[in-house]
């Protein structure tokens, strides 16, 4: 299996310098020497804990703990695999990445993907042949009714899926595709009656959906009459995630415009392209997503949205704007200007172009409003009655909320200043309120992010417990013959607990229940137990431990066969620090509870084993211990779940 050569990876790491890679997503607010700081794109925060080290070529977040090099950053933020991230950077930085059969991806999955791409292209051929053949008359008539020109039909690869249950299926079987390949292609569904694969698209006008490079990845099908549903779309599949693509982008990017016009569906996009507005794209049967906004930002500096003018359309507009502004706040380095356009008389863009022509539509686009101006007007218009009387209370709620979404301070201040006139208030008071709402929203989001983080941490801890199952060392005097462990052994989670405890400093005494303070019994190795004894003995309730003293002590002993001092310093690098003391304390507590719970599991397993052979008083004693352990477990779980 061919791998991407190291020389290519080295070239990419040399060219794709960490500052420019990360800078596309994060705007740096502080620079000290070789370090840059900004708001973390992976978790919500008010003060920057995300840093980039220029000389090391890495990023690191002290808040959520994410870190790595340029390639790792792209994997994390673009949700790509390692070879995909290399390809992604190669394209951006002009490094040729040879096509490999496997990369570190699973080779068979890669092969399957190639088969599915080929299958989709074959399906498009089949639909196109049906469209131009005898069976396609009904579809051609429909296309003519919609004024779609021959050139347009060809350019967009429009086809027809004939009536019948298995036309495409039979065609692909004859071309040598297997049931399994068809199953994952998204073009088939399973018959409830027979359990066999049947065509998903029947009697529909077919739109191939392309990725931004022009590869067919899915299809949309429109009914030709009144059958419902009007549109059927391929489900997400091995090669297609609808939230991550924009319909028509492969064509629109050729327009080399710095602007993308976002419309509702396939037909709108196609009609606009036919009318000469070639920078139009559509989201694919979903509300516009943040992945789509990021995708758009790679090709344009500005996106112009059209929303329906009815109530539902206007509500959708607010939801989409809120989502996008929230996303842009996190991705502070992502520069894209959002504009909202209205089609006069509440018409579709498509309809408007047909009636008024391309030039007049260009004026509509040119009159699109910046998103903050749009919100400002919305707050006013939504809260005015027919006589033009403003409901100041409702207006106040809306405008403060909208202001809190605006990332740019100047634009926020401008909104506050203008709103202050309607509210008869001082702009500073209005601005303060906007800032308050903004900050509490960030705090709320940060709490939610932290819960996610802790949940994923819990999962990895559980995984480790499961992995370790069977050789759980037992400590303390619960069972008479404690299994012997190497005296200098230390487990990763134990190290983590120790590092976190040292970092808590005096908070370990003031902010943590006495019973939750670490103790020698939490550690399995003798050397580690002695280190903990030293730590507790020298712990100062006002300052924590003197780290120089601690390191001096560590230098006298070993852990896992290495100098303990080195093990400790490495662990300090590995377990990230938050600058928020609550986060640090909770992380510490999470670790101590999980570690103790894991120990309880081990002891209980041991007791169960001994119980089999035990009788009389010995048995009662074991049972009593078992019950005590159980009670302690409940107690720990209750505490952990409160975090
Ligand atoms: Zn972070």
């Amino acid at each position: 299996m061919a791998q991407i050569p190291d020389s290519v990876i080295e070239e990419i790491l040399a060219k794709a310098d960490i500052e420019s890679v990360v800078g596309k997503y994060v705007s740096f607010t502080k620079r000290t020497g070789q370090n840059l700081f900004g708001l973390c794109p992976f978790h919500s925060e008010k003060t920057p804990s995300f840093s980039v080290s220029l000389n090391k070529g890495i990023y690191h977040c002290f808040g959520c703990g994410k870190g790595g090099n340029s390639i790792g950053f792209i994997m994390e933020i673009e949700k790509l695999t390692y070879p995909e991230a290399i390809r992604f950077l190669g394209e951006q930085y002009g490094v040729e990445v040879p096509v490999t059969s496997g990369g570190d991806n699973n080779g068979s999955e890669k092969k399957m993907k190639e088969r599915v791409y080929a299958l989709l292209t074959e399906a498009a051929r089949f639909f196109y042949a049906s469209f131009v053949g005898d069976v396609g008359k009904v579809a051609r008539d429909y296309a003519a009714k919609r004024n779609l020109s021959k050139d347009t039909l060809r350019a967009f690869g429009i086809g027809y899926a004939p009536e019948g249950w298995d036309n495409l299926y039979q065609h692909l079987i004859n071309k040598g595709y297997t049931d399994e390949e068809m199953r994952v292609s998204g073009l088939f569904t399973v018959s409830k009656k027979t359990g066999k694969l049947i065509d998903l698209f029947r009697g529909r006008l077919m739109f191939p959906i392309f990725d931004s490079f022009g590869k067919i990845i899915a299809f949309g099908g429109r009914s030709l009459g009144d059958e419902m549903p009007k549109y059927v779309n391929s489900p997400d599949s091995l090669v297609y995630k609808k939230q991550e693509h924009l319909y028509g982008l492969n064509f629109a990017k050729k327009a080399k415009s710095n602007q993308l016009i976002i419309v509702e569906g396939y037909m709108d996009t196609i009609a606009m392209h036919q009318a000469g507005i070639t920078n139009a794209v559509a989201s694919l049967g979903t509300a516009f997503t943040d992945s789509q906004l990021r995708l758009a930002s790679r090709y344009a500096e500005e996106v112009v949205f059209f929303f329906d003018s009815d109530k539902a359309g206007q509500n959708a507009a607010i939801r989409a704007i809120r989502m996008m502004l929230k996303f842009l706040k996190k991705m502070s380095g992502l520069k894209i200007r959002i504009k909202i356009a209205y089609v006069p008389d509440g018409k579709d863009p498509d309809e408007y172009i047909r009636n008024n022509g391309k030039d007049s539509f260009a004026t509509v686009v040119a009159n699109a409003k910046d998103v903050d101006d749009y919100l400002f007007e919305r707050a006013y218009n939504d809260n005015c009655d027919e006589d033009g009387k403003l409901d100041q209370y409702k207006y106040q709620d809306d405008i403060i909320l909208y202001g809190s979404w605006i990332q740019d301070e100047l634009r926020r201040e401008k909104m506050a200043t203008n709103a202050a006139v309607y509210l008869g208030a001082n702009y500073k008071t209005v601005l303060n309120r906007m800032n308050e709402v903004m900050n509490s929203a960030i705090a709320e989001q940060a709490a939610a992010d932290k819960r996610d983080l802790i949940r994923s941490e819990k999962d990895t801890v559980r995984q480790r417990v499961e992995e370790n199952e069977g050789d759980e060392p037992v400590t303390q005097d619960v069972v008479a013959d404690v299994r012997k462990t190497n005296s200098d052994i230390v487990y990763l989670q134990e190290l983590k607990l120790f590092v976190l405890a040292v970092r808590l400093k005096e908070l370990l005494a003031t902010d943590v229940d006495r019973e939750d303070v670490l103790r020698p019994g939490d550690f399995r190795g003798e050397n580690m137990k002695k280190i903990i004894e030293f730590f507790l003995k020298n712990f100062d309730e006002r300052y924590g431990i003197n780290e120089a003293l601690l390191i001096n002590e560590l230098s006298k002993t070993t852990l896992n066969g290495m100098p303990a001092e080195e093990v400790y310093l490495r662990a300090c690098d590995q377990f990230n620090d938050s600058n928020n003391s609550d986060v640090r304390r909770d992380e510490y507590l999470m670790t101590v509870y999980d570690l103790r719970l894991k120990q309880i599991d081990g002891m209980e397993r041991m007791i169960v084993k001994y119980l089999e052979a035990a009788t009389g008083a010995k048995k009662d004693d074991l049972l009593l211990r078992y019950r005590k352990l159980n009670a302690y477990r409940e107690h720990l779980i209750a505490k952990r779940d409160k975090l």
Side-chain angles (χ1 to χ4, degrees), residues 74-95:
I74 291 300
M75 286 169 70
E76 185 78 39
I77 203 148
E78 295 287 352
K79 306 262 180 292
L80 297 177
T81 63
Y82 184 71
E84 284 167 348
I86 289 173
R87 226 162 273 287
F88 180 92
L89 287 170
E91 241 167 59
Q92 284 190 0
Y93 290 86
V95 178

Side-chain angles (χ1 to χ4, degrees), residues 496-502 504 508 512 516-519 522 583-593 596 643:
K496 179 174 180 181
L497 180 67
F498 181 50
V499 169
L500 293 175
V502 173
L504 274 183
L508 187 63
V512 168
D516 296 332
V517 173
L518 79 180
R519 47 188 181 237
D522 293 325
V583 174
R584 273 190 290 158
R585 182 200 55 214
D586 287 359
E587 221 190 329
Y588 165 85
L589 290 173
M590 185 60 73
T591 311
V592 76
Y593 296 151
R596 286 178 186 173
L643 286 180

Side-chain angles (χ1 to χ4, degrees), residues 205-243:
L205 190 69
M206 296 301 294
F207 303 88
I209 295 165
F210 305 90
D211 68 10
S212 59
F213 305 107
K215 199 170 343 190
I216 296 174
I217 49 177
F219 288 88
R222 192 195 193 287
S223 68
L224 295 170
D226 298 327
E227 313 94 277
M228 295 305 277
K230 203 156 95 177
Y231 282 97
V232 171
N233 300 304
S234 298
D236 284 1
S237 75
L238 186 62
V239 298
Y240 177 57
K241 290 204 176 52
K242 62 173 175 287
Q243 306 197 330

Side-chain angles (χ1 to χ4, degrees), residues 137-238:
K137 185 169 184 314
V138 56
R140 293 197 299 277
D141 288 348
Y142 176 84
K145 210 169 69 194
R146 296 296 300 251
N147 295 315
L148 296 177
S149 75
K150 276 221 164 69
D151 286 346
T152 302
L153 292 170
R154 204 172 306 120
F156 283 86
I158 288 169
Y160 174 61
E163 296 284 359
W165 296 103
D166 64 353
N167 292 303
L168 180 63
Y169 179 81
Q170 292 302 342
H171 177 79
L172 292 174
I173 283 283
N174 289 336
K175 291 278 172 189
Y177 290 96
T178 65
D179 270 27
E180 182 52 25
E181 288 161 354
M182 289 194 235
R183 201 183 300 277
V184 296
S185 71
L187 287 174
F188 297 90
T189 171
V190 175
S191 160
K192 282 201 191 90
K193 259 188 270 167
T194 64
K196 292 204 170 120
L197 289 177
I198 50 174
D199 295 2
L200 177 65
F201 299 98
R202 303 180 300 270
R204 285 177 180 267
L205 190 69
M206 296 301 294
F207 303 88
I209 295 165
F210 305 90
D211 68 10
S212 59
F213 305 107
K215 199 170 343 190
I216 296 174
I217 49 177
F219 288 88
R222 192 195 193 287
S223 68
L224 295 170
D226 298 327
E227 313 94 277
M228 295 305 277
K230 203 156 95 177
Y231 282 97
V232 171
N233 300 304
S234 298
D236 284 1
S237 75
L238 186 62

Side-chain angles (χ1 to χ4, degrees), residues 40 42-43 61 63-64:
C40 177
F42 303 116
H43 83 280
C61 175
C64 66

